[in-house]
Amino acid sequence: MVRVRIAPSPTGIPHIGNTRTALFNYLFAKHNKGKFILRIEDTDRKRIVQGAQEAIVEILDFLGIPPDETYIQSERMDEYKKHAKILLDKKLAYEKEGAVWMKIPENQIFSWTDLVGNKSISFKSQDVEDFVIIKSDGFPTYHLASVVDDHLMNISHIIRGDEWISSTPKHLLLYKSFSWTPPFFAHLPVILGKDKKKLSKRDGAESVLDYGNEGYLRDALLNFMVLLGWNPGGDKEIMSMEEMIRLFELKDIGTVAPIFDLQKLTWMNGEYVRMMDNKKLKASLLEFYSQDKDVTDFLKGDPKTLDLILDLAKTRMKTLKEFKDLVLPKIPELSEEERGIAKTLLKKLLVIKNWNKTTILSAMKEVLAMHKAKGSVLYKIITGFEKGLPLPESLEIAGKEKVIEMLKRLAI
RNA sequence: GCCGCCAUCGUCUAGUGGUCUAGGACAUCACCUUCUCAAGGUGGAGAUCGCGGGUUCGACUCCCGCUGGCGGUACCA
């Protein structure tokens, strides 16, 4: 039975790296019909951050990768104390300055086969130092608490960041001291920023929640993250959660620290926007703009009209954030010349009898020819931006009356 | 410093001794389309597979060294 866990400490908001680790654990669990466990490691009382625990849960929820079981280490103190005593009694640990320390035996080799890259890693005991297992405040350190819990919770595979590699010999010693069989280990390379340094605020948003607030879609985020250090082979890139679960295997995890490339995420998000049907897109937009009455009012307008507009907008937005400027015009600041063009446009549109995109387009072309102007001028006049949804279509949708009225106000 | 991990286009990667004059995707450039901007289509440029030694009839693929990057070296996780 596969049982995996993520063990975040509530000392801050999880960043993309931690979140990807959670995703990989989730996919591995589901691929093997196993369990995905969340264990809050709140043993460092000094560094606990208010709201961090809630943020962890919120992120898993946002991504749709909820844990099957949840544990909190501060509620399991008895276990850690009990197990520390066993080590003390066996004389494998000792007390010093109010803390309990694990003694590293001499002339030993600690080695394991890491499932990332399927290679053997080993450390000599002379390179490992005695370490604290119970701090003087009575709380266990990560080393003791995680080993005890992983064993008690029947964790089969530990999939975690590779900053843990050099701690693994300590964990191996603990397993041996308790006469427990250690689980399998898979250490994931960290995700780096553009500068090849650890991902930081400079690289943009910090947590997936921030990306969500920037108008990135859950499915795109998931798809992009899974490809950071994992590849099922072949050229397939766009994958649904079901496909990821079906294809996910530890042997396909890369050994190289990937760099987070926002441009590719943005492209992929655009792909997902275009793949969505209008009903789903509308729902996503409604959620994203829930605080913006102008946009939600627009979205709640005539469904048929909205449908047409969504079709036009889909190929022009990479993130949901770009939707507003696409559909809600702003008042343009026109030069004298542009005002003249606006007047001509008004005149030409006014005489159209059969108001549709074809007649509107030919009117537009006449105006452009008369003024020897580029099409972008008309977009500036009507939308306030030099580009936008195709005018013939959107003016047809808006209706002659509304368009004329608006142009009159501008041209005066 | 010591210990460990890693090393293919700018980026994500395919590649497990010969099929590689190294494939795909993002980004980039050109063209097509065109009322603007996109989307889409076609094509181009872009990697002497970090460097140096081996092993082999033959190395991107195996071994060693070097260099570089990253991580660890806490009564933090």
Side-chain angles (χ1 to χ4, degrees), chain A residues 233-366:
Chain A
D235 297 334
K236 193 163 184 52
E237 287 202 307
I238 304 288
M239 280 175 279
S240 66
M241 179 62 99
E242 289 67 36
E243 284 173 291
M244 291 181 213
I245 290 172
R246 186 166 54 78
L247 295 170
F248 192 83
E249 289 185 47
L250 295 181
K251 71 171 177 58
D252 295 320
I253 294 177
T255 52
V256 184
I259 291 171
F260 186 92
D261 180 10
L262 187 62
Q263 277 187 321
K264 187 147 185 175
L265 200 214
T266 304
W267 162 76
M268 191 170 272
N269 203 68
E271 289 286 302
Y272 273 86
V273 169
R274 272 170 258 134
M275 281 192 300
M276 272 198 285
D277 62 43
N278 289 347
K279 206 177 146 205
K280 257 189 92 178
L281 181 55
K282 180 181 170 183
S284 299
L285 287 166
L286 238 21
E287 197 190 333
F288 181 74
Y289 286 104
S290 59
Q291 305 300 319
D292 190 327
K293 197 169 179 308
D294 290 345
V295 182
T296 49
D297 282 352
F298 177 86
L299 287 165
K300 286 171 184 163
D302 175 47
K304 277 209 177 99
T305 305
L306 181 65
D307 229 29
L308 295 169
I309 297 216
L310 253 21
D311 283 337
L312 297 176
K314 256 183 199 174
T315 58
R316 279 164 254 258
M317 50 194 267
K318 296 206 189 299
T319 65
L320 301 182
K321 204 178 184 178
E322 294 167 58
F323 181 71
K324 183 174 182 175
D325 282 349
L326 237 27
V327 297
L328 296 185
K330 66 172 191 192
I331 309 293
E333 281 185 32
L334 298 181
S335 67
E336 214 39 57
E337 193 191 347
E338 288 161 344
R339 200 177 296 271
I341 297 176
K343 277 179 184 155
T344 315
L345 181 63
L346 174 60
K347 220 183 296 168
K348 290 286 177 192
L349 292 180
L350 219 37
V351 299
I352 292 180
K353 290 214 171 66
N354 190 3
W355 184 261
N356 62 46
K357 64 182 180 207
T358 313
T359 52
I360 296 167
L361 178 57
S362 48
M364 283 167 55
K365 280 182 171 168
E366 283 173 46

Side-chain angles (χ1 to χ4, degrees), chain A residues 93-118:
Chain A
Y94 58 92
E95 285 180 277
K96 190 177 96 182
E97 292 161 357
V100 181
W101 295 68
M102 194 67 191
K103 174 84 191 133
I104 303 291
E106 282 178 22
N107 298 318
Q108 260 195 267
I109 305 271
F110 302 105
S111 70
W112 73 96
T113 297
D114 207 285
L115 266 21
V116 169
N118 205 256

Side-chain angles (χ1 to χ4, degrees), chain A residues 316 322 325-327 329 375-391:
Chain A
R316 279 164 254 258
E322 294 167 58
D325 282 349
L326 237 27
V327 297
S376 57
V377 146
L378 302 182
Y379 284 80
K380 185 178 175 188
I381 291 167
I382 292 179
T383 70
F385 300 94
E386 293 196 344
K387 56 185 183 176
L389 304 186
L391 245 21

